[in-house]
Amino acid sequence: PDCWSTAVSQIFFSLGVTFGIMTAFGSHCPVDAPAFENSVIIALSNSFFSFVSGFAVFGVLGYLKQYEDAEHIDEVVKAGP
């Protein structure tokens, strides 16, 4: 359960970071542009990109685990620089 709440908060955080960009994007849209449709497309694109990024990150971690001949993934992952 903690993993899912962290994932959802990450999606909201990444959408919050782009809020200024969405405001700038909205100012260049025509007046009759479908605002709801555009916001749904942006939100789904952001979620999809986060999902695909997760595969990339965990794919690299799996490769590093095999490359370093580590027994557990905890041996590969270290906090900080």
Side-chain angles (χ1 to χ4, degrees):
D2 185 48
C3 178
W4 288 106
S5 65
T6 304
V8 169
S9 64
Q10 174 62 34
I11 288 175
F12 282 122
F13 174 74
S14 62
L15 279 174
V17 169
T18 61
F19 186 69
I21 296 169
M22 289 192 291
T23 304
F25 172 72
S27 68
H28 292 287
C29 285
V31 175
D32 59 344
F36 179 75
E37 182 180 329
N38 288 341
S39 62
V40 168
I41 289 171
I42 290 170
L44 290 177
S45 300
N46 179 49
S47 299
F48 177 73
F49 185 76
S50 297
F51 187 72
V52 171
S53 298
F55 280 105
V57 168
F58 287 110
V60 169
L61 287 176
Y63 172 77
L64 286 175
K65 179 184 174 290
Q66 182 179 7
Y67 180 77
E68 294 181 1
D69 199 27
E71 190 170 327
H72 298 288
I73 196 75
D74 295 338
E75 299 172 12
V76 176
V77 180
K78 295 179 177 61

